[in-house]
Amino acid sequence: MKPPRPFSTWLRLMMVLCLLVASTFTARAQPSNSCQPQLVQIQVAKADAQGPIPTADALEWTTVTLRDNWRNRWPDYVGAAWYRVDWNLPCTGQQQQHIALRLQSIIMAGEVYANGDLLWRDAHLAEPLSRSWNMPRYWLLPRSAAQPGSNQIWIRVHGRADDSAGLGEIQIGDAQQLAVQHEHSWWSSRTALVISVTVSLLMSVLFGSAWLQNRSQKTYGWYALYSFFWAMVMISALTLSSWPLPSSLAYSRATSVLYLCFTSSFCIFLLRFGELRWPRIEKALWIFTAIGIAIILLTPAHLRDRITVIGTSGTVFMTALCLWFLKHAWHTRKPEHLVFAACAPLFLLLGIHDFLNLRQVINTGVALLPYSVPVTMTALALVLGRQLTLNMQRIEQFNIELTDSITRACDDLSTTLEREHALAMRHNLLQERMQISHDLHDSLGGSLVRSIAYVEQSQQPLPNAQVLSMLKLMRDDLRQMIDNGTSANLQVPETPIQWAAPMRHRFGLLFEELDLQAAWTLPMQWMTAPSAIQCLTLTRVLEEALTNVIKHSRASRVSITLELPSPQELCLRIADNGSGFDVHSTQINSMGVGMRSMLARLERIQGTLRIQSSPGATVLEARMSLGEKASWPGSAPAPLGSDAVSQ
């Protein structure tokens, strides 16, 4: 099945509205019947706000036709007025049928008497007055109120001329016919407004929530705002009392403010909906709204009739903007703009009809705008809902693309981390190899050098026991190296003397064979005990330094000094009177393994190495801070600095 064309849909809607209006006017026409009640005349006169029905001669009557409005007759009048309706019932006896009274509206409050008997009365006949201006009423007249011949209906109306006080249409006739007309009137005056309020509030809540979730969608926010103000205007037409405001005048002012806010927010919504940015127009609109609200609230009561130009101006501007939007939609050709352009003429025509009807320029007695508002708002809601759905689809597509991008990034990151892990493992392996080489050089290498030097200085072949002792010593050095490299829980010697004792023993015999005088200067106690790694570093540095003295210096004196300048600092100084070497040249041409080993060990524990050398005087000084965390030899050493060795 093909979907209906837009033109056919429009035509069907117009036919429904025409049939509704035609049925309203047809229902109001009464068939010609000799037994039908006949209205003779309707008169009005100013009256006291309280008291019984006066005699007819006591008032100054004026003949009127309904609907009647005090504004033209008594412009500044505030009070009450009696309406006297004279009518005849020609039927008598069994020909008489059930007679009913239908009253379209009382502006603002009132009371109804039939042949002197009270038929109905509003709840509040003094300020704040009840609000019966949009409340159709229907009564089945008792026999006493519908006598054959002449009858009277007295209606006392309370209101203000500047609030269009007066009396709506009156019908007296067959009860069944008037009941049908009353149902039609109730639908257009009450039910249609309730539907309009419900739809408006629903759209306001729905799109207001969408705007709160995404503040960048300002069109949703303005749509929710103008729907809310329209609902408030419709609610003011449905309420039957002025609560919580103190008077009908205050309530009328509040309604005018709500209507002005509705027109302004609708105009802003239309600009946002049309994707237009007119800052000057919007600024002028806000200034007009602020000034209009101030005028409505502050104008004295006797001048209120002159400020209707505020509401009229807002309506004219809204109408002009809607007409301009038709041209804008034709240029953009966007579906959402075309949908609103299709609804705008209906909204404007019916709105102008109701506005002229309210001002009594025309007198149809039927409000048509409530029928169009749900249709227009529903169409706009569908358009905005479509935009919301498209936005959600774009967000979902973005989430899918973002998820794919994150997955690819995670895969790339995983590959990179695996590669970095492999590089780190190789780096650690190289560092461990370097550490082992340094440990072999500093411990076992030193033992080998001492043994070689001892053998070279011996005048006679060494006995087996002495050779075995030297081999055991190297074995012990190897064991110590292995133990030191696999455990971080080494015992720290209690005193510096206990720390230096093994090395004094190892190098003492060799120094005697080489005729090398050694002077040891050690403190009696630690001021702050070094850590196990610091002790091991000191041991390796001292072993390498003394080995270098034996191998290269050709010195006759060497001094080993351990100083504690402060509780947080330790200084190891080795000085000899050997031939010396060029420190600067050694640093440029790459240091030897032993010097690099010493430097790397000290840098690993944030220590420093300082070497000064000249013929006859070479001083090696190692400094470290006590009580600070240092890395274990298995970790990577710090980079070699250019200031690590200085002359």
Side-chain angles (χ1 to χ4, degrees):
M1 180 183 294
K2 295 184 179 180
R5 296 181 179 178
F7 178 76
S8 61
T9 303
W10 172 267
L11 183 60
R12 291 178 184 177
L13 181 61
M14 293 299 296
M15 291 177 62
V16 170
L17 291 175
C18 291
L19 289 175
L20 178 64
V21 176
S23 64
T24 302
F25 285 107
T26 302
R28 292 169 57 193
Q30 298 179 358
S32 176
N33 191 322
S34 59
C35 289
Q36 289 294 324
Q38 300 174 357
L39 290 177
V40 177
Q41 67 175 355
I42 303 174
Q43 295 179 307
V44 64
K46 292 182 179 179
D48 296 331
Q50 297 179 352
I53 300 176
T55 59
D57 298 336
L59 301 176
E60 298 180 0
W61 297 101
T62 301
T63 302
V64 296
T65 58
L66 301 181
R67 294 183 298 159
D68 182 54
N69 192 328
W70 297 357
R71 182 178 298 172
N72 299 326
R73 186 182 310 107
W74 307 317
D76 300 324
Y77 182 61
V78 178
W82 278 111
Y83 284 86
R84 190 184 71 188
V85 181
D86 296 320
W87 64 284
N88 287 329
L89 182 61
C91 296
T92 60
Q94 295 181 353
Q95 294 180 336
Q96 187 174 350
Q97 54 188 333
H98 294 292
I99 305 300
L101 170 65
R102 191 181 77 85
L103 181 59
Q104 180 64 31
S105 62
I106 298 177
I107 309 173
M108 282 293 171
E111 48 191 332
V112 180
Y113 295 85
N115 288 343
D117 296 329
L118 179 65
L119 190 63
W120 167 85
R121 174 180 292 160
D122 259 317
H124 302 284
L125 298 179
E127 290 291 352
L129 295 172
S130 297
R131 300 180 61 82
S132 296
W133 71 274
N134 193 43
M135 186 67 179
R137 300 191 184 275
Y138 171 87
W139 301 277
L140 188 64
L141 295 179
R143 291 287 183 181
S144 61
Q147 298 290 334
S150 298
N151 295 275
Q152 287 186 340
I153 301 293
W154 288 71
I155 303 173
R156 179 156 50 188
V157 177
H158 301 258
R160 304 175 58 92
D162 52 17
D163 257 349
S164 301
L167 187 65
E169 181 184 4
I170 290 179
Q171 287 181 292
I172 304 174
D174 180 68
Q176 293 183 352
Q177 294 180 0
L178 291 188
V180 173
Q181 295 184 33
H182 176 69
E183 290 179 1
H184 283 280
S185 179
W186 185 273
W187 169 264
S188 61
S189 299
R190 308 295 297 181
T191 306
L193 267 63
V194 171
I195 295 175
S196 180
V197 168
T198 303
V199 173
S200 300
L201 289 179
L202 181 62
M203 295 299 103
S204 179
V205 172
L206 178 62
F207 286 93
S209 301
W211 173 74
L212 290 175
Q213 296 296 326
N214 186 4
R215 299 294 181 88
S216 62
Q217 297 292 338
K218 295 183 179 180
T219 303
Y220 298 158
W222 286 111
Y223 178 76
L225 188 63
Y226 108 75
S227 299
F228 172 77
F229 281 126
W230 175 255
M232 293 299 102
V233 173
M234 292 296 98
I235 289 175
S236 70
L238 289 170
T239 53
L240 299 178
S241 68
S242 299
W243 185 89
L245 299 178
S247 65
S248 56
L249 176 60
Y251 201 94
S252 178
R253 292 179 190 268
T255 303
S256 300
V257 169
L258 289 173
Y259 180 76
L260 185 59
C261 292
F262 158 72
T263 57
S264 301
S265 57
F266 178 82
C267 293
I268 297 296
F269 159 74
L270 203 56
L271 293 176
R272 294 286 189 270
F273 183 69
E275 300 175 356
L276 298 172
R277 293 294 183 270
W278 291 351
R280 294 183 179 178
I281 297 296
E282 293 182 10
K283 184 178 180 180
L285 186 61
W286 285 120
I287 293 175
F288 167 76
T289 303
I291 294 176
I293 292 175
I295 292 175
I296 291 172
L297 296 178
L298 301 178
T299 300
H302 66 280
L303 297 177
R304 283 190 65 245
D305 191 49
R306 301 179 184 179
I307 65 173
T308 55
V309 66
I310 300 296
T312 304
S313 299
T315 304
V316 169
F317 186 81
M318 182 173 63
T319 303
L321 194 58
C322 288
L323 293 175
W324 173 88
F325 192 84
L326 299 178
K327 178 181 177 182
H328 177 70
W330 180 257
H331 284 297
T332 61
R333 301 296 178 91
K334 291 186 176 182
E336 57 269 22
H337 295 170
L338 294 176
V339 170
F340 181 80
C343 297
L346 174 66
F347 178 76
L348 289 177
L349 291 176
L350 299 184
I352 293 173
H353 167 272
D354 287 359
F355 183 78
L356 296 178
N357 191 35
L358 182 64
R359 296 297 177 186
Q360 294 188 343
V361 178
I362 59 176
N363 191 12
T364 63
V366 179
L368 301 179
L369 190 59
Y371 295 99
S372 69
V373 170
V375 176
T376 306
M377 285 192 170
T378 302
L380 286 176
L382 293 176
V383 170
L384 295 179
R386 176 178 176 271
Q387 292 182 353
L388 181 62
T389 302
L390 293 177
N391 290 336
M392 294 299 295
Q393 291 176 352
R394 284 195 292 267
I395 292 173
E396 290 177 358
Q397 183 63 30
F398 172 77
N399 290 336
I400 293 174
E401 295 175 357
L402 180 62
T403 302
D404 293 340
S405 300
I406 292 175
T407 301
R408 289 194 298 269
C410 289
D411 293 340
D412 294 341
L413 180 61
S414 177
T415 302
T416 303
L417 290 176
E418 289 177 359
R419 186 168 57 251
E420 292 293 333
H421 178 69
L423 291 175
M425 292 297 292
R426 287 196 294 270
H427 179 72
N428 289 336
L429 182 60
L430 291 175
Q431 291 296 327
E432 290 177 358
R433 289 177 179 176
M434 291 178 61
Q435 182 64 36
I436 292 173
S437 66
H438 288 166
D439 289 340
L440 288 173
H441 177 273
D442 294 344
S443 60
L444 190 59
S447 298
L448 287 172
V449 169
R450 291 195 301 273
S451 299
I452 292 171
Y454 188 77
V455 171
E456 288 178 348
Q457 296 296 326
S458 178
Q459 300 297 330
Q460 296 178 356
L462 298 177
N464 293 338
Q466 192 169 2
V467 173
L468 181 60
S469 176
M470 294 170 60
L471 292 175
K472 288 182 178 180
L473 182 60
M474 286 186 286
R475 180 198 63 187
D476 295 338
D477 289 341
L478 180 60
R479 286 179 175 174
Q480 183 182 12
M481 182 195 72
I482 294 172
D483 293 340
N484 294 341
T486 58
S487 176
N489 297 320
L490 300 177
Q491 295 295 326
V492 178
E494 295 183 0
T495 64
I497 296 175
Q498 292 179 1
W499 164 77
M503 284 175 290
R504 293 183 68 176
H505 174 70
R506 292 178 188 175
F507 284 94
L509 297 176
L510 186 57
F511 287 164
E512 291 179 1
E513 291 292 335
L514 297 175
D515 196 18
L516 180 60
Q517 298 180 6
W520 297 76
T521 305
L522 305 170
M524 298 301 295
Q525 298 290 337
W526 302 110
M527 297 179 65
T528 299
S531 63
I533 181 60
Q534 289 175 329
C535 282
L536 180 60
T537 300
L538 282 177
T539 300
R540 295 296 184 228
V541 169
L542 181 56
E543 287 178 343
E544 179 61 27
L546 294 180
T547 300
N548 287 337
V549 170
I550 294 172
K551 289 172 59 177
H552 306 294
S553 69
R554 298 189 295 275
S556 60
R557 291 190 307 275
V558 61
S559 63
I560 301 95
T561 305
L562 182 65
E563 297 178 345
L564 300 173
S566 68
Q568 286 77 36
E569 188 178 7
L570 183 147
C571 176
L572 175 64
R573 186 180 299 107
I574 300 99
D576 66 77
N577 62 348
S579 58
F581 64 97
D582 188 350
V583 178
H584 182 67
S585 177
T586 302
Q587 184 177 2
I588 293 176
N589 298 324
S590 177
M591 293 179 284
V593 176
M595 189 174 295
R596 281 188 175 275
S597 176
M598 288 189 290
L599 183 60
R601 290 178 183 277
L602 287 170
E603 287 184 344
R604 198 175 295 124
I605 61 172
Q606 290 80 46
T608 60
L609 179 65
R610 179 184 176 89
I611 301 176
Q612 295 179 339
S613 182
S614 61
T618 298
V619 179
L620 182 147
E621 185 178 274
R623 288 182 177 269
M624 65 182 67
S625 298
L626 301 177
E628 294 185 0
K629 184 177 180 180
S631 59
W632 193 251
S635 60
L640 297 178
S642 59
D643 296 334
V645 180
S646 60
Q647 184 173 359

